Amino acid sequence: MSGTKFVFALLIAAAAVFGAAWLIGNNYVFFAGYVVLQYIALATAWNILGGYTGYVNFGTAAFFALGAYTTVVLHKLTSLPLPLMMPIGGIVSGVVGLGTGYLTLRLRGAFFSIATLALAVVAQTLITNWDFVGGSRGAYIVRPAQAWLFGIDYIQYLFLVMLALVVIVLASARAIERSRLGYGFATIRDDEVAAEASGVPTLRLKLLATTLSGAFMGMAGAPLPYYVTYLDPTSGFSLAYAVNGVAMPLVGGTSSWLGPVIGAILLGTLQQVATVTISSALNLLIVGLMLVGFVIVAPNGILGLLRFRDRRARS
Amino acid sequence: MARVVTGMTSEALLQVTGLGKRFGGFVALEAIELAVRDGERVGLIGPNGSGKSTLVNCMCGTLRHEMGSVRFAGHTLDGRSAHERTRLGLARSFQLPRPFNTLSLAENLRVPLLYTVNARHGQALAPHAIDRRCAELLHIVGLADKATNLPRDLTQIEMRKLELARAMAAAPRLLIADEAMAGLSHNEVDDILALLIRLNEQGVTIILIEHIMRAVMHFSQRLVVLVAGRKIADGDPADVVRDPDVVRAYIGE
Amino acid sequence: MEMSFDLLGNAVVSGLLLGGFYAAVTIGVSISFGMLDIVNIAHPAFIILGSYIAYIANATWGIDPILAAVIALPAFYALGAAVYQVYYVAFERRGQEALRGLAFFFGLLFITEVSLVLVFGVDYRLVEAPYIGPSLHLGIVDLPLRLLVPFLVALGMVGGLQLFLSHSFLGRAIQAVAQDPLALRLMAADPTRIKRIAFALSIATTSLAGAVLIVIQPVEPSIGRDYIGRVFAICVLGGMGSFAGTLVAAMALGIVESLTSTFYGPSWSPAVAFGFLLITLAVRPAGIFGR
């Protein structure tokens, strides 16, 4: 399927999803659905760096929260509409990704990963100390009752915006996979030294992946303040984002754009259901256990299991 | 423009001057001088651990050397990353094959075509030309029937052939073949030898690093010997193998 | 700003004592990351686990926390050996340690923290011991015993490990596996077994480090994450496998953090460690004593 056809298919799927949610008529669907869509965007963004190039980012929460807090700042200073705030959040997180990468990507991958872990803690510290965005007391954002778009409920509008972002991120991920860039990323993952010897500018590509990944995560975080209406560092930088960002692509499968989608839908829905029935800590424990379990037993994720069965069935 | 033949005063294609490399306290290479002229066939031999691969790594940018300098085709290579050197025309195969394990054989060859050949001005190949070139290269090394296989399906010997094909895919001006023939049968050695000589006739300068002496003697116009990080001989192959220092180095092993 | 000598002096001394503690916390990573090349980011989680074990022993039976940690050492050693075995079979052997091995340790970090929250809640826990509270007074400098005792324990642990590494066969084998696995094989020692012992040792240190932590400050499950940056910053700055380097780097970090905390407020501490890490990686990745 060509790139344009894929985008068309995504748009149709998106329209179908929105339509189905609309028909159900209960706004809770939009609230829950927003979270799942957000995770699809986050997981796919993570995978552009982690799955394609093999560099592990543990600081998903940092990039995500920086996007959210950019919105808080913009909301206080301007009256920009959300679709304009998102790219700005993306730029902020993208630049942070670039910076982290620039300082650490010439060294071993492990240093990059450690730096992202530390980054999450530091970013949270900085935000907690910044009174303009509310510091540790948090910030209140008023969510309008209705959006400018046909006067639909604002939560439906947020759902739509996140849906649009998912289409963009998925289309980008797939486009990368099939392009020269995708080959470059794969060689970095497989054998960086051999990649360099074959003419691949590994540092440049790694920086590109880090920036893109960070930017998409920032964009996924940008609408958050309107969704939660109260944002404080503890929830913005929540551990849930860090572990889900890693677990969803690894459980779903890192080799293609489809893996993070599967992982996000599976784990995202699981958590939405579980939050109602069991505590959120137990919820996260299950995600952690699934992560460790899959990584040991099924390293190629659900996609890998499906392909394995497929190949066995054929022979 | 006519090529002016100035003999000894023309700069060598590859010029290594005073190259030195240490690992902590261990001196891996010391004061290496090497000049390879355009179109030459140079053999590089030496006992295991003498620093041959380290030298290749330093020349190609995989390792950074502390002393000396490397010049290639009029450019200074020092400080340049490995991919820049490959794009300038200096390619190498790895002694221990390093294939891209999640890519098929054909895709392994696409990488240098996409990132080296297509990165050079005015040389970019169209997609179907790339596919054709991949098939051609696989055919040359005898791996055409495994184009869609993954490297893990290959034998060690086939992986060495892939390694060589991948270096060739970068369309180099100078190719360094690092033990490409290890483990090959008599006939296979002849095949690779013929391949390299044909490559040389097409204008590619080649440095052959090998332990198989008959191949080295047959192939080399000039023989360089490395022992314990130092060059101890450099000249006509027939003279070099009779050099007492060289003989001692190999028998003393 | 008028520099109070009292304040400065105490900040520096506290920093030194804190630094000793940081060395205890980091020494395990010097082994696992510095020597074995295993990126065990779950190390702080094991430390917190150690803290809670000490807390239980102390709260239930009134056992001294550091004594409890010593008693728990074998259990932590066994845990470390088990974790390494899983890591080796699932990742190291398959060559998957870069992505999946890292994710594995991250998962462990996470599971440990969340489990502790489920069992103990998010309240701060602390221990009681005769040396928590009193201080020695030397001139203008106060030496709180709750910092001094951990400092001494830490020095003891680091010193003991260093002696073990340089003077026992096993210890030398561990150093060898770090530098030249092939030579080790030629010595007829099994590199995997040596690595397992070394890794188990690194986890065993977390038992003591955890007890020492809860003596110094109250503990709750999430503070492990604050230590990741510190631990790896010290390890890198100290030159990876070098114990002396770890000690020096830990003291340096301790002093800088203490000064920052005294003059700018404690909420900036995590940023200090991160700053250290970034600067080290950017300027001298080999560290102070690096090879």
Side-chain angles (χ1 to χ4, degrees), chain B residues 157-179:
Chain B
I157 291 164
E158 287 169 330
M159 281 216 267
R160 283 181 195 280
K161 293 184 182 176
L162 177 67
E163 199 51 45
L164 191 59
R166 199 172 61 184
M168 285 163 59
R173 275 187 73 179
L174 191 154
L175 169 67
I176 305 177
D178 198 347
E179 298 197 30

Side-chain angles (χ1 to χ4, degrees), chain B residues 14 19 31 51 77 103 119 131 145 148 151 197 208 231 241-242:
Chain B
L14 175 69
L19 189 91
L77 292 189
L103 300 180
D131 291 333
D145 55 338
T148 52
I197 291 178
L208 181 72
K231 186 173 81 167
V241 293
R242 284 197 301 263

Side-chain angles (χ1 to χ4, degrees), chain A residues 75-245:
Chain A
H75 178 85
K76 292 197 177 211
L77 293 176
T78 71
S79 49
L80 281 177
L82 182 59
L84 284 183
M85 289 197 200
M86 285 173 74
I88 299 177
I91 289 172
V92 169
S93 291
V95 167
V96 172
L98 181 62
T100 314
Y102 187 75
L103 287 171
T104 59
L105 284 176
R106 274 165 299 186
L107 309 167
R108 286 171 45 195
F111 288 123
F112 171 74
S113 300
I114 293 166
T116 59
L117 256 179
L119 175 71
V121 175
V122 170
Q124 187 169 354
T125 308
L126 289 173
I127 298 287
T128 310
N129 283 312
W130 193 15
D131 286 327
F132 182 66
V133 292
S136 56
R137 292 181 324 273
Y140 286 92
I141 306 285
V142 175
R143 185 200 307 148
Q146 287 170 324
W148 54 269
L149 190 68
F150 306 126
I152 56 175
D153 286 349
Y154 207 79
I155 184 60
Q156 296 170 342
Y157 173 64
L158 288 177
F159 185 87
L160 203 58
V161 164
M162 193 51 79
L163 207 49
L165 179 64
V166 165
V167 169
I168 293 172
V169 178
L170 286 181
S172 306
R174 189 175 177 278
I176 290 173
E177 262 175 60
R178 279 149 192 272
S179 69
R180 182 177 102 139
L181 190 60
Y183 276 114
F185 283 170
T187 62
I188 291 174
R189 178 188 62 218
D190 286 350
D191 193 321
E192 216 170 307
V193 170
E196 274 280 325
S198 296
V200 178
T202 57
L203 180 61
R204 203 182 314 156
L205 292 192
K206 285 189 290 188
L207 288 174
L208 181 59
T210 321
T211 312
L212 261 179
S213 178
F216 281 138
M217 287 182 181
M219 286 172 74
L224 186 73
Y226 293 108
Y227 178 80
V228 291
T229 67
Y230 167 70
L231 182 67
D232 73 321
T234 317
S235 59
F237 287 88
S238 159
L239 208 50
Y241 298 120
V243 76
N244 277 310

Side-chain angles (χ1 to χ4, degrees), chain C residues 51-75:
Chain C
S51 298
Y52 273 91
I53 304 269
Y55 164 74
I56 295 172
N58 185 261
T60 324
W61 300 299
I63 303 177
D64 176 83
I66 295 180
L67 181 61
V70 171
I71 297 173
L73 273 178

Side-chain angles (χ1 to χ4, degrees), chain C residues 15 39 51 93 129-130 136 145 198 215 220 226 285:
Chain C
V39 191
S51 298
R93 216 166 50 173
L136 287 179
L145 284 183
V215 165
E220 55 98 7
D226 287 344

